Structure formats: C-alpha cells, structure tokens
Amino acid sequence: MNTFYHSTRSAADSVTSKQAILAGIAPDGGLYVSDALGETRLALEDVCAQDFHATARLVLGTLLPDYTADELASCVDAAYGAQWDSEAVCPLTPLGTDWLLELYHGPTCAFKDVALQMLPQLMSVARAGDGRKIMVVTATSGDTGKAALDGFAGVEGTGVTVFYPYGKVSDIQRLQMVTQLGGNVAVCAVRGTFDDCQGEVKRIFADRELASRLAERGVVLSSANSINVGRLAPQVTYYFDSYAQLVRRGVVRMGEEVTFCVPTGNFGDVLAGYYAKRMGLPVRRLVVASNANDVLTDFLTTGTYDRRRDFHKTISPSMDILVSSNLERLLYFASKGDCELVTSLMADLAEKGFYTVPERVMDEIRSTFACGRADDADTRETIFDTWRELDVLIDPHTAVAKHVLDALPADGTERVCLSTASPYKFCADVLAALGEVTDGMNGFACMDALEAKTRTAAPAQLSGLRADAVLHDDVCDRERMGGFVESACARVFL
Ligand SMILES: *Cc1c(COP(=O)(O)O)cnc(C)c1O
C-alpha cells in the first residue's frame, strides 16, 4: 500500500506517491502508475452530497495513500482558497443543451491552476524533513509558466524558474509572467522557439556537473511537467465534482452515465477523466478533441500513433503538441499492465517516430474514448456561433471541444464540455473570431474592445495586470539558460 507506484515500463521497483511526486518521471523514462487504480471506488452518494474541497480530499486520499488525511486537508485548503474567483472552484453552467465545466477561475485563468496550485503543496509536504531545496525549472509556450510561477511563489523550500520564447507568447501571457511577485521566482525570455527552450531545459536536467554543483548547496532540480502524478491526481476531482453538480441540478440520476468532451494536448486532462471512470464515476464516453495537430484523432481512428508530420501553429496554442506524453499511461492500463508492450511501443516512437497498438488494446481504448478535430476556421466559427446563439463567450481551446461535441451524434447522455481557459487570455483571437479588426492593438486594447463588444467583464486577475510593474526583463540566448538557472538558485536559496 505504501509503495504504490511503479513505472509504466517495469513493475520491478516501486515507490511511494511522495517519492513519485518528487521524482516526476521514473528512472527508466516511464511514467508512474499504480495497479491499485480502480480497487477503491468512490461512493457516489458521498460525492454528490459534498463540496469540491471534500471531494478533492477523497480523490487525493485514494490516489496518494501515503499522505495523511491532515496533510491532504491542509494542501486542499491552501490550493483551493481565496485565490479562486468562484466559491464552487470549478462551476458547471449551461451551454445550450449541454454543460460547460469552467476550469479557469483560478489565479492565472487557465485549467492548469487546478493542478499547479496543488502540486507545490504536495511537493513541500513530500520534501519535509529531507532538508533539500527544490528548484522547479519549466519551459512554457504560455499557460504553464504563469500557473507554475503562481503555484510555487512563496512556497517554503522551493523555487521556480520559467523560460518562455521571446516574442512568441500572447501579450497578456507575457505580462502575466514578467509581473510575477515573489522572492523565489525567476523568469527569462529566450531568443528562440518553444522547442529550443524545452530542448535546453531537458539538457539542463541531464547536466551532471550542474547537478553536483547544486547538490553542494543542497538544491535539486525538478519539473512541474504534466506527467507528474501530483498534477494528474488533482484533475480527477473536477470530473467527480461536476457529476455531483449535475445530480444536484436534477438533470442526472445518480448512477446514470455522462459524456465529457476535452480539449486535448498532452493528454493529462482527459486521462484524469479515465482515472475517474476507473474510480467509479459513471462515464459513457471521453471525447478527445484536437486542433489541426490531430495526431490523437488519427491514433484513435487507425491505431497508429505517428509523430512524423508537420507542426501547425494554431489559435489554441496550448494544444499544439505532437507527442502526448500521458498517453503512455492509457496504453499501460488498456493493455492490462503490459510493461513489455509499453516499452516496445515507446522505443518505436523514439526510434521510428511511430508505433502501432494491437487491435485488442485499441478495442479496449475505443470502448471509452471517441475523438474529433477542429481547425482554426472551425474554431473561430464556433466562438462566433456560441456567442451569437447562446450568449456564452468561450476561448479557442474550449471552442475546439465544442465543435467536436456538436459534430458527435447525440446518444441520450448529458454532455459536459470542459472549458480550459478564460476567453480574456486570448482576447485578440476571440475578438477576431467575433468579426472585429485587431490589427496593431495591444493586449489591453483588445481586452477593452472585448469587454465593450460582449458587455462581459475581464477577470480581475487579468485586468489588474495594467497596474503591475514589470519585474523580470531578462532575455538570453539558449546557451545562457543553464547559467540563469544556477544564478537563480544562488539568489533564491541564499
Ligand atoms: C494545457 C491546456 C490544454 C491541454 O491539456 P492537456 O492536459 O495537455 O491535454 C487545453 N487547454 C488549455 C487552455 C491548456 O492550457
């Protein structure tokens, strides 16, 4: 029970969930999974009678059994407190005949807050007594960086360093990062692309000389990547909690199945839905919605995952991904824990750029998962139609999911569309989708125009940026990133 987690690629060594959270990835490159997933099914009567916080404690207690109830209770209080602008944390609202699950009420206005407000709490409990300090290093294409900064800012014994590609994030996203307060945070723009940032962060993690210099100071590097068990587990909560909201609204009878449609990139969000199903949530379908980077649509249709394709830059940038890392966990569970199969598929992906999954495993996957795609034109049209017909303003990622959901034949179940970002995070693209000209307008001009056009209000977390001072103006070349991390460690852990 204590050593609960092992790698998707080998069951030989097992670790506690605290160890898995501190390590992030298993030493053999696999992801941490537990064979006990599904042994404990949550009691729906309890879930339907309680609030988000109680369900979070229940879910985390099941998935992270070596944390005590007291530890988890204080993590939940710290992660889901007054920094959320909705008391429900993740409220469910009507979307025509379907439902919108609003996951963007946290401090950075994207769904990543659900996990990244919690991960630092879990890490800081896990490292208690160990004495080492943790510097989290992250490359971001926009959303993750700010969510990590906000989550780790001020958390005892931890620091966070974020790299973003210079000139390649939205104006609002940049301002969110460069105004971040906190004595343990560092932010730097890099002359290059997101892939350059990401590639160099991977090299920094593999740099043994750097690691030993930091170890002398008692510092270890860690990542806040979405493959971390500590990011996956918190996301299971809102699947259960949204079901409870449906039951309390009287639209679903307890035990009746529902369908979720999820705008997908790294497969973390939708995988949490699969965990919820294994833990007893009545789920008919999990619908994987992709943008023009439709590698998952092809995979679910053909059984072959093929990353050898062009990368498309879209207006839903957080889903611009060719390798969906968390899919490895689904392959593990759908093959009934066949580590050898998972190892050989991942070797194929690394060596040949593609793999083909046996039909029996695909049958298992397809019994739960459906899929669909939306290109940028579909996405814009969906933003326009949803505003015109339903008076609901949605962001481009959510619009991808709504387009896919609308194309699906109705099966009589209640359907929940996951909404992963505030439309105000992507003001320019949303305005353009509504038919406005945005040429030459900066982020705040677009924010004003979007408020005026829709008579909705920008979240205070974003409109408040106007008054915030720029605190981080470093720009460096890729080669200097390692040095930046080292000096950030020196400064933060004085
Ligand atoms: C990260 C992100 C996604 C994709 O989530 P995954 O867990 O990577 O599949 C979708 N929408 C938004 C706004 C995001 O920030």
Side-chain angles (χ1 to χ4, degrees), residues 438-457:
T438 58
D439 295 350
M441 283 162 66
N442 72 16
F444 292 125
C446 290
M447 196 182 285
D448 291 340
L450 190 58
E451 286 188 314
K453 167 133 189 120
T454 61
R455 287 191 216 90
T456 60

Side-chain angles (χ1 to χ4, degrees), residues 1-7 13-27 31-34 62-68 71 122 125-127 228-230 329:
M1 152 94 161
N2 244 341
T3 51
F4 197 67
Y5 283 93
H6 66 75
S7 168
D13 299 315
S14 56
V15 299
T16 65
S17 60
K18 287 180 180 172
Q19 290 167 327
I21 284 169
L22 290 178
I25 194 160
L31 311 192
Y32 284 113
V33 285
S34 168
T62 307
L63 290 172
L64 313 174
D66 50 307
Y67 284 79
T68 68
E71 285 171 344
L122 296 172
V125 171
R127 66 166 277 287
N228 194 306
V229 172
R329 285 195 168 100

